[in-house]
Amino acid sequence: VSGGAEEPRGGFQFDQCRRNASLEARGLQGPRPWSTGTTIAGVVFQGGVVLGADTRSTAGTTVADKNCEKIHYIAPNVWCCGAGTAADTE
């Protein structure tokens, strides 16, 4: 890459982890995880991508659907994962 710019790379970036550790060392509270009620995960590896999702759909604290498809086929090699506002991906 010309001009010394770093080439984009995939995967998890640990920059925020270092920032959070620095904040906590100064006595400040870093961000904390919270439960959203649904799960979608994706993992990139050398041979491809693995997508996973639960099948529960919630409306607030109520389970609205126990068998909700969250991984949607779009085209060959193109899939969409959706949770939260189901209408956005249905």
Side-chain angles (χ1 to χ4, degrees), residues 40-45 48-53 70-72 78-81:
I40 292 179
V43 178
V44 178
F45 65 102
V49 176
V50 175
L51 301 173
K70 295 183 183 177
I71 302 176
H72 306 278
V78 179
W79 293 77
C80 173
C81 293

Side-chain angles (χ1 to χ4, degrees), residues 6-85:
E6 188 174 313
E7 216 174 296
R9 58 186 179 171
F12 189 81
Q13 302 296 320
F14 290 92
D15 298 339
Q16 298 303 323
C17 293
R18 287 189 290 266
R19 180 210 63 178
N20 293 345
S22 174
L23 290 174
E24 289 175 359
R26 295 178 188 161
L28 300 171
Q29 184 176 357
R32 298 288 176 236
W34 65 91
S35 175
T36 60
T38 60
T39 303
I40 292 179
V43 178
V44 178
F45 65 102
Q46 188 173 1
V49 176
V50 175
L51 301 173
D54 69 343
T55 59
R56 186 180 67 179
S57 172
T58 57
T61 58
T62 304
V63 176
D65 186 353
K66 292 182 180 180
N67 194 21
C68 176
E69 295 288 330
K70 295 183 183 177
I71 302 176
H72 306 278
Y73 172 83
I74 305 294
N77 295 321
V78 179
W79 293 77
C80 173
C81 293
T85 304

